[in-house]
Amino acid sequence: MTSEFKQTTIGPAPKTWDVANLSDVADPRIRWSFTGGPFGSNLKSSDYVARGVRIIQLQNIGDGNFKNDYEIFTSPEKADELISCNIYPGEIILSKMGDPVARACIIPPIHDRYLMCSDGIRLAVDQNKFDTYFVFTQINAESFRKSAANAGTGSTRKRIGLTELRALQLLCPPIQEQRAIALTLRDVDTLLDSLHSLIGKKTNLKQAAMQQLLSGKVRLPGFTGDCKVRKLGDVGKCLRGVTYQGDSDLSTHDTSSTKRLLRSNNIKNAVVNIHDIQFVNAKKVSAQQILKKDDVLICMANGSKALVGKAGLFNINDGYEYTFGSFMACFRSIYTEANPKFIFYLFQTGLYRNYINNLLAGSSINNLKPSSIESLAFSMPELPEQDAIAEILTDMDIEVASLEALRSKTFNLKQGMMQELLTGKTRLI
């Protein structure tokens, strides 16, 4: 530790910094500046109304951001009755429940006031001594998160009470340095928000393009041929995975005598990833079961019906050979009849999802058959137009993936900045 640093109860810090309990941060001039939501018996579903004072539910408290996609309201009279549980724009709300526990967001100025749910905790910051955005960032920092998790109760899902939260500590530089740190991190958060918004717009644009182009409602310039309704079995083959026997066939280690095994968890957001893969004895894998470029990998069975039918395009080219398990299948297009990427995008449409839901309706077993996939019928243009549509949608996917990569890099940059700025390793003043 250098001479400019001192040892505190929560680690080394610059000599000019203090350690504060979270309760010290609350504004003493505001009544109920650090308080929890109402008891469940005091706010029931019968108190909900169509419009009025918005209730902040647990699902509105994001990991550092307010989630605005879920709205319920109560009457102004009920909110007045529970005035001690009201919270206002610009204040911080923390979650008593994981995941993660004690995550926090700042209340947006969408409404004049809100009512917290029972699992919310209000923190109105004393702005004469503390910067709200700085405190908000400290609460969401890794060190504070660990302290909250350690102070929480429960093994599967953590929970923390107001008493435990009051005693948690954070490092606090002088107010001017807090403001400088907050301004820097807020600029990065603004960039992250803009990227998130742009990704959402680009994704919605792609969804609209898919709906128009894959249904034949909109034709690309220069293409006028008829679109024919064809079954997938007419343009390809659905191959079901095979069952491998436990320890005798499967391994967690990659060797020269194994093939890489993909499962349901390797498909996320229509992308095939290679995280958490298993390995299977190569002697047990037939040549037909080796995935080829542009095969569509499909989840054929799952405990959740919503996950059955999810699909991803296999385009991994890392020199290894991949196969798939018994709960999976791949659809392999005949290129002379259909563009495999065009077929993959058909698997992302609402029509495809409706087909899957109808196939599973009334069944207690969430399981598809290859013949069921092959029986699905779609309107398909001639191959040149399929090629053109697939190219457009692929370019849109590449653009979204590029923006997501930039967002990920920016987020990682912010995490590094937080580690430096919130501990005083890097000083702005």
Side-chain angles (χ1 to χ4, degrees), residues 352-365:
Y352 168 75
R353 190 66 247 175
N354 289 337
Y355 280 151
I356 299 302
N357 292 340
N358 289 334
L359 288 170
L360 297 175
S363 173
S364 59
I365 302 175

Side-chain angles (χ1 to χ4, degrees), residues 245 342 417:
Q245 303 300 321
F342 178 87
M417 292 173 64

Side-chain angles (χ1 to χ4, degrees), residues 131-197:
D131 181 273
T132 297
Y133 207 84
F134 174 84
V135 173
F136 155 74
T137 307
Q138 280 279 32
I139 290 171
N140 286 319
E142 183 179 359
S143 57
F144 190 91
R145 286 281 175 79
K146 288 181 178 178
S147 298
N150 291 335
T153 58
S155 55
T156 57
R157 197 179 190 196
K158 288 286 186 180
R159 184 180 184 88
I160 192 168
L162 185 60
T163 301
E164 291 76 21
L165 272 173
R166 286 180 181 276
L168 295 184
Q169 296 182 316
L170 43 81
L171 291 174
C172 294
I175 183 65
Q176 292 301 325
E177 190 167 1
Q178 290 184 41
R179 289 169 179 162
I181 293 171
L183 181 61
T184 300
L185 294 176
R186 189 192 292 268
D187 286 344
V188 182
D189 281 337
T190 299
L191 175 57
L192 284 169
D193 289 343
S194 65
L195 287 170
H196 181 76
S197 177

Side-chain angles (χ1 to χ4, degrees), residues 15 18 34 81-82 87 151 155 180 187 201 203 225 236 240 248 274 305 313 354 356 368 398:
K15 287 184 176 181
D18 294 322
F34 194 16
E81 179 187 325
L82 299 172
I87 189 168
S155 55
D187 286 344
K201 290 178 181 178
T203 300
R240 186 70 185 249
S248 62
I274 54 174
K305 284 188 178 182
L313 187 68
N354 289 337
I356 299 302
L368 297 173
I398 291 172

Side-chain angles (χ1 to χ4, degrees), residues 8-297:
T8 73
T9 53
I10 53 175
K15 287 184 176 181
T16 57
W17 289 27
D18 294 322
V19 173
N21 291 340
L22 194 57
S23 58
D24 299 331
V25 172
D27 193 334
R29 299 163 299 178
I30 298 177
R31 194 177 184 187
W32 305 304
S33 60
F34 194 16
T35 189
F39 290 110
S41 58
N42 291 335
L43 184 62
K44 303 175 183 178
S45 58
S46 57
D47 296 314
Y48 299 165
V49 297
R51 302 299 299 178
V53 177
R54 185 169 177 180
I55 302 170
I56 297 183
Q57 296 287 85
L58 197 61
Q59 51 264 56
N60 295 128
I61 308 173
D63 190 359
N65 64 297
F66 182 84
K67 296 185 175 181
N68 195 35
D69 52 357
Y70 183 82
E71 289 185 315
I72 59 171
F73 299 86
T74 192
S75 67
E77 293 76 17
K78 187 64 180 181
D80 289 341
E81 179 187 325
L82 299 172
I83 193 67
S84 65
C85 304
N86 282 207
I87 189 168
Y88 303 88
E91 297 178 345
I92 297 172
I93 187 168
L94 296 91
S95 168
K96 293 181 182 178
M97 297 278 288
D99 302 319
V101 68
R103 67 186 183 276
C105 67
I106 294 178
I107 301 298
I110 302 172
H111 306 278
D112 292 335
R113 66 163 169 162
Y114 303 76
L115 179 65
M116 292 187 294
C117 66
S118 59
D119 289 317
I121 292 179
R122 175 196 185 191
L123 175 58
V125 172
D126 182 355
Q127 297 187 48
N128 288 331
K129 298 179 180 179
F130 304 95
D131 181 273
T132 297
Y133 207 84
F134 174 84
V135 173
F136 155 74
T137 307
Q138 280 279 32
I139 290 171
N140 286 319
E142 183 179 359
S143 57
F144 190 91
R145 286 281 175 79
K146 288 181 178 178
S147 298
N150 291 335
T153 58
S155 55
T156 57
R157 197 179 190 196
K158 288 286 186 180
R159 184 180 184 88
I160 192 168
L162 185 60
T163 301
E164 291 76 21
L165 272 173
R166 286 180 181 276
L168 295 184
Q169 296 182 316
L170 43 81
L171 291 174
C172 294
I175 183 65
Q176 292 301 325
E177 190 167 1
Q178 290 184 41
R179 289 169 179 162
I181 293 171
L183 181 61
T184 300
L185 294 176
R186 189 192 292 268
D187 286 344
V188 182
D189 281 337
T190 299
L191 175 57
L192 284 169
D193 289 343
S194 65
L195 287 170
H196 181 76
S197 177
L198 184 57
I199 289 169
K201 290 178 181 178
K202 294 291 185 180
T203 300
N204 290 339
L205 182 62
K206 180 210 161 187
Q207 293 299 319
M210 286 175 57
Q211 182 179 358
Q212 296 296 316
L213 294 174
L214 296 177
S215 65
K217 293 179 181 178
V218 172
R219 304 294 296 275
L220 293 177
F223 294 101
T224 58
D226 292 337
C227 293
K228 297 179 181 179
V229 175
R230 307 181 71 176
K231 293 181 179 179
L232 291 181
D234 296 334
V235 297
K237 184 74 174 175
C238 186
L239 306 172
R240 186 70 185 249
V242 300
T243 301
Y244 298 106
Q245 303 300 321
D247 295 339
S248 62
D249 294 340
L250 299 177
S251 170
T252 57
H253 303 290
D254 187 13
T255 69
S256 59
S257 61
T258 61
K259 304 292 184 186
R260 298 187 165 204
L261 178 66
L262 296 176
R263 297 165 292 161
S264 175
N265 64 301
N266 297 114
I267 302 176
K268 186 176 182 180
N269 298 329
V271 175
V272 178
N273 64 71
I274 54 174
H275 302 301
D276 188 30
I277 61 173
Q278 286 185 317
F279 304 92
V280 62
N281 188 331
K283 294 181 180 179
K284 302 288 185 176
V285 183
S286 67
Q288 183 177 250
Q289 298 297 125
I290 298 297
L291 286 165
K292 298 180 179 180
K293 185 178 184 297
D294 292 337
D295 280 347
V296 180
L297 194 63

